[in-house]
Amino acid sequence: MFKRRNALVGLDIGTSEVKAIELTDFGDSVKVTGFGIGRIHNREDLPDVIKRVLQEAGIKTRRVATSVSGRSVIVRYLNLPTMDETELKGALKFEADKYIPFEIDEVAIDGQKLEEVDTASGDREMKSLLVAVKKDLIQEHVSLIQDIGLMPVVIDVDAFALGNAFELRNLNSPRLEDENKITALVDLGASKTNINILKGNMSCFSREVYVGGNQMTEAIACDIHMDESEAEELKRNPQGREGEVQGAMTPVLDDLANEIHLSFDYFENQFDQQVGDIYVSGGSAQAQGITEAFERVFEREIHFWDPLENIEILADRVDVEAVRAHANQLPIAVGLGARIHDCS
């Protein structure tokens, strides 16, 4: 009756917002037991923003999963001869020198086997994932978390957290998913857009495009002649000026959609498989004109999704309406919290 339950906070520290989701393992299921969100107005205030978000959400769990992204994070998908996990670790360190633009002693290297496949010659090979992250970026993240009294138990990568959220959704869904179905996840943040293309639940391709909500805000400010704080507010709430806002942002949205489409083309040419459904999320995903621009470039319908649609939210601990209102912004935080079973 008084058993201590396993809980983990998925802490998504973005450029403009901090989002926290507390997931708790109740044995037969994982449930949402905490949620908080807060704006970052000044990076120097980030520790205080995180503490305030957790405090206002009533989250007392100290164990945190967070993630890194950006140009100090290198992700590669490799084809290697079949080998066991012990050999793979050594092989990835050897291969890393060919693919990363940093000195080996400057990075932390990790990876895993994705799947084994037959080659045209009849041999077997492994599709493997290589991830290299600058050690100073990891240390910066760890220090930030520890300095405010939290315990970092996982440092993930944004794109993979996005994929983990989609997998959690599928695991809890009554729908049967095709294990070979190709799905694209596109998460639009303030300073960048994450792309993760999945085969079933397995990541096959990921990329960051450095276009996001900030560029949309700048376009509004320039086109309508206002400062960026006013433009940001107008972007979030057009107040009857939807046509002006959409017109200002259209060139940015078209550029972003074309960059994403180039990524799809690259994937399809490399893997000889077509991207199917496209799921869009992120803080900038509700911007005026997103749907029209993306569907025009992709020539298909896009889907906005809720990573918590099949997960119970405990109403006695969490403001359910607030979670639902922000749901499309939460895949990375949810995907980080989904690592709860890896940290048991």
Side-chain angles (χ1 to χ4, degrees):
M1 179 176 178
F2 299 105
K3 180 182 177 183
R4 183 181 180 87
R5 299 193 185 279
N6 184 31
L8 182 67
V9 178
L11 187 63
D12 176 13
I13 304 172
T15 304
S16 64
E17 288 183 327
V18 170
K19 296 173 279 287
I21 285 285
E22 180 187 61
L23 296 183
T24 300
D25 186 357
F26 284 81
D28 59 338
S29 64
V30 170
K31 301 177 183 180
V32 178
T33 52
F35 162 71
I37 187 168
R39 293 282 294 168
I40 304 169
H41 298 288
N42 188 325
R43 296 301 291 186
E44 293 179 359
D45 298 332
L46 182 55
D48 292 331
V49 174
I50 296 172
K51 286 189 285 188
R52 185 169 63 252
V53 166
L54 297 179
Q55 183 178 20
E56 292 177 355
I59 294 174
K60 294 186 169 48
T61 300
R62 300 292 93 189
R63 300 167 72 248
V64 167
T66 186
S67 56
V68 293
S69 62
R71 292 178 172 86
S72 293
V73 180
I74 307 298
V75 176
R76 295 290 183 269
Y77 297 82
L78 310 178
N79 291 335
L80 298 173
T82 302
M83 63 187 76
D84 61 33
E85 289 292 333
T86 304
E87 294 174 310
L88 178 60
K89 295 296 182 183
L92 289 176
K93 288 183 178 180
F94 177 78
E95 293 290 329
D97 196 37
K98 305 175 186 177
Y99 295 100
I100 62 174
F102 313 120
E103 296 294 330
I104 289 295
D105 59 1
E106 294 180 349
V107 298
I109 296 169
D110 202 355
Q112 65 181 62
K113 179 176 77 172
L114 298 175
E115 64 176 344
E116 291 190 19
V117 296
D118 292 318
T119 66
S121 62
D123 298 324
R124 296 282 287 174
E125 66 179 13
M126 298 191 321
K127 291 187 177 295
S128 303
L129 176 67
L130 166 67
V131 181
V133 182
K134 291 284 289 287
K135 290 177 181 177
D136 56 1
L137 177 61
I138 295 174
Q139 188 54 53
E140 177 185 320
H141 242 62
V142 169
S143 297
L144 170 64
I145 300 302
Q146 290 178 333
D147 288 348
I148 57 179
L150 302 175
M151 182 189 305
V153 295
V154 172
I155 304 292
D156 209 333
V157 173
D158 280 4
F160 301 140
L162 183 62
N164 287 340
F166 194 72
E167 181 177 5
L168 182 64
R169 164 194 174 272
N170 290 348
L171 289 174
N172 287 280
S173 173
R175 297 184 293 269
L176 292 176
E177 297 288 343
D178 180 356
E179 292 183 359
N180 294 310
K181 184 177 182 179
I182 305 299
T183 304
L185 307 179
V186 179
D187 190 78
L188 284 73
S191 60
K192 61 180 174 56
T193 295
N194 272 299
I195 304 165
N196 193 350
I197 298 178
L198 308 177
K199 176 183 177 183
N201 290 320
M202 182 184 72
S203 177
C204 296
F205 172 90
S206 63
R207 182 190 175 202
E208 289 182 344
V209 176
Y210 294 98
V211 180
N214 291 346
Q215 286 74 19
M216 300 175 202
T217 300
E218 291 167 7
I220 295 169
C222 180
D223 201 66
I224 305 181
H225 307 294
M226 57 177 57
D227 65 40
E228 289 192 9
S229 61
E230 292 176 310
E232 178 66 24
E233 184 60 34
L234 192 63
K235 182 181 74 176
R236 291 169 176 269
N237 184 10
Q239 302 175 352
R241 303 177 70 178
E242 287 81 2
E244 287 181 273
V245 171
Q246 183 168 341
M249 292 197 306
T250 293
V252 177
L253 296 177
D254 284 347
D255 287 347
L256 176 58
N258 282 315
E259 281 293 327
I260 297 169
H261 198 264
L262 286 173
S263 296
F264 293 172
D265 285 346
Y266 175 84
F267 170 84
E268 291 172 350
N269 289 331
Q270 289 290 312
F271 293 87
D272 196 26
Q273 291 180 292
Q274 296 293 308
V275 172
D277 290 337
I278 302 170
Y279 287 86
V280 178
S281 59
S284 299
Q286 303 303 321
Q288 197 75 27
I290 284 279
T291 301
E292 293 83 353
F294 279 17
E295 292 186 349
R296 183 175 65 253
V297 173
F298 302 149
E299 298 182 335
R300 74 194 82 173
E301 181 183 5
I302 63 171
H303 308 278
F304 297 94
W305 63 294
D306 176 356
L308 296 171
E309 64 178 300
N310 301 307
I311 300 174
E312 183 180 351
I313 303 170
L314 294 190
D316 60 335
R317 301 196 201 180
V318 183
D319 184 339
V320 178
E321 288 188 8
V323 175
R324 293 302 180 204
H326 292 92
N328 192 244
Q329 299 171 246
L330 300 178
I332 291 177
V334 171
L336 292 168
R339 297 292 298 271
I340 186 170
H341 294 305
D342 300 333
C343 307
S344 303

